[in-house]
Amino acid sequence: MLRSGPLILLTALTLGASSHFEYRHITLFWQGQPILAEVASSSAARSKGLMGRKSLAQDQGMLFAQDTLQIMCFWMKNTPLALSIAFLSDEGEVLAVAEMAPMSLDRHCSPVPVRYALEMPGGWFSAHGVEAGSRLSGAAFHL
């Protein structure tokens, strides 16, 4: 759902009988540890995201990818999972991390225009020592 001001991306449902999206998967890495990420790169896929998802594997997430730099904002409408989100530079540097409560309409926005945001299970980034200034790697990033 778009609102005036920054783009709002809905955190949303990916797999399931009613889903019309087949997300491609890529592997990202944090200090050699693989992260399996579903990629939401179309406007419709980014809007749907993880909405309705009831579970997510511990090292699995969703990478939201855009063609242009912009402020990215997320909320948790219709998302029953607690999630963590990291806003990433083109080089995979973590610019900010936020915890997102299930079903919340609170907005979580990137501090600067970005192309990438990675959602993981709630608490994942803090449990793995990922914070602003950390760097993820993988083919998704323009190196």
Side-chain angles (χ1 to χ4, degrees):
M1 168 191 260
L2 293 177
R3 294 188 179 173
S4 61
L7 175 67
I8 294 181
L9 299 172
L10 303 178
T11 303
L13 166 71
T14 54
L15 300 175
S18 63
S19 176
H20 292 42
F21 301 103
E22 289 188 27
Y23 296 101
R24 69 182 172 97
H25 292 79
I26 62 167
T27 303
L28 303 174
F29 297 92
W30 165 244
Q31 296 184 336
Q33 177 178 346
I35 299 166
L36 181 61
E38 298 172 64
V39 179
S41 57
S42 72
S43 178
R46 287 189 303 266
S47 291
K48 192 121 176 105
L50 293 170
M51 189 180 292
R53 178 74 66 94
K54 291 179 175 55
S55 65
L56 192 60
Q58 185 57 31
D59 293 323
Q60 181 180 357
M62 180 169 280
L63 181 69
F64 293 80
Q66 304 185 132
D67 292 331
T68 60
L69 292 170
Q70 58 188 285
I71 297 292
M72 294 174 73
C73 292
F74 293 75
W75 63 4
M76 297 287 286
K77 181 177 182 178
N78 299 325
T79 306
L81 294 173
L83 296 173
S84 296
I85 189 165
F87 297 100
L88 307 167
S89 74
D90 282 357
E91 295 78 28
E93 180 182 350
V94 175
L95 303 173
V97 174
E99 295 298 321
M100 301 189 298
M103 309 302 273
S104 172
L105 298 182
D106 293 342
R107 292 171 39 152
H108 303 274
C109 299
S110 61
V112 297
V114 295
R115 230 180 289 273
Y116 303 108
L118 177 63
E119 288 182 339
M120 295 293 289
W124 191 93
F125 294 108
S126 62
H128 290 82
V130 179
E131 57 189 19
S134 298
R135 189 173 304 269
L136 302 178
S137 61
F141 305 114
H142 301 117
L143 300 174

